[in-house]
Amino acid sequence: MHTLQPVLKRGLNSWDKINMPVSEFEERVARIRALMGKENIDVLLLYSNDLDNYGAQSYISNFRMETIGGTIIAIPAKGKVALIFEGGPRLIPLVQTLTWIDELKTGNNVAEVLVKYLSDNNFIPSTIGLAGLNHLMPYEEWN
C-alpha cells in the first residue's frame, strides 16, 4: 500500500518571495563568486549544524535547519549552487518551499553526501574554500 508523506512545516520558517526574490539571492552568490575568483577558489562550502550558527547559509539560501543536523551550501565558481542537508528524502518537498536552490541533496551523513557531490562534479582535486566546517562539523565527519 502506498501512502502520501505529508510535508511538515515547522514554526514560522517560510520564504517571503515578494520581499526576498530569487534575484536577491543570485546577486549575493554573484558577489561571493567574484571574491572566490580573486582567491582562485573553485567551490566554497558553508556548513552549519545547529539552530544558532546558520547565518551564512541563510544569507545564500534562505534555508535554516529547524532541527539539529548538518547542512552544507556548496557554491561552485560556475554552475548551480547545491544545498546538502541531513535527513531523508521526505524532507525535500519542505526544503523546496524554503529556498530558491533547486539542487537539493540529502542523506544521513552530510560529509558522505558532500564527498559524492564533489566527486560527481569534478571538484576533486580543486581549491575548496571552507566556512564553518573545521570548528562546527563533528570530528568523525570532518575526518
Side-chain angles (χ1 to χ4, degrees):
M1 179 176 153
H2 295 285
T3 61
L4 294 175
Q5 292 185 348
V7 174
L8 303 175
K9 292 208 178 248
R10 298 181 214 122
L12 296 173
N13 197 355
S14 62
W15 175 21
D16 180 354
K17 295 180 183 181
I18 294 172
N19 291 311
M20 287 298 291
V22 172
S23 60
E24 174 65 30
F25 294 107
E26 290 171 339
E27 289 172 17
R28 292 175 180 189
V29 170
R31 288 193 299 268
I32 289 170
R33 284 181 169 155
L35 294 172
M36 288 169 58
K38 290 179 182 178
E39 299 294 326
N40 295 317
I41 295 173
D42 299 314
V43 62
L44 176 64
L45 305 176
L46 307 173
Y47 178 79
S48 173
N49 68 349
D50 61 29
L51 304 176
D52 296 324
N53 296 302
Y54 60 85
Q57 290 184 342
S58 184
Y59 179 79
I60 297 303
S61 67
N62 192 64
F63 179 72
R64 178 172 70 102
M65 190 62 127
E66 291 290 327
T67 60
I68 302 299
T71 307
I72 298 172
I73 304 287
I75 305 172
K78 295 180 183 175
K80 289 184 168 191
V81 175
L83 171 61
I84 301 166
F85 62 95
E86 196 170 299
R90 176 181 186 213
L91 292 175
I92 289 177
L94 167 66
V95 174
Q96 287 173 326
T97 67
L98 303 175
T99 185
W100 66 277
I101 298 171
D102 59 5
E103 185 161 346
L104 305 174
K105 310 224 176 266
T106 184
N108 293 330
N109 182 320
V110 292
E112 291 175 2
V113 178
L114 173 62
V115 169
K116 182 173 178 0
Y117 166 83
L118 293 172
S119 178
D120 290 350
N121 290 280
N122 300 314
F123 288 122
I124 300 175
S126 65
T127 303
I128 298 175
L130 305 176
L133 275 86
N134 57 347
H135 65 282
L136 293 175
M137 184 175 265
Y139 181 76
E140 187 175 306
E141 290 182 14
W142 173 247
N143 282 333

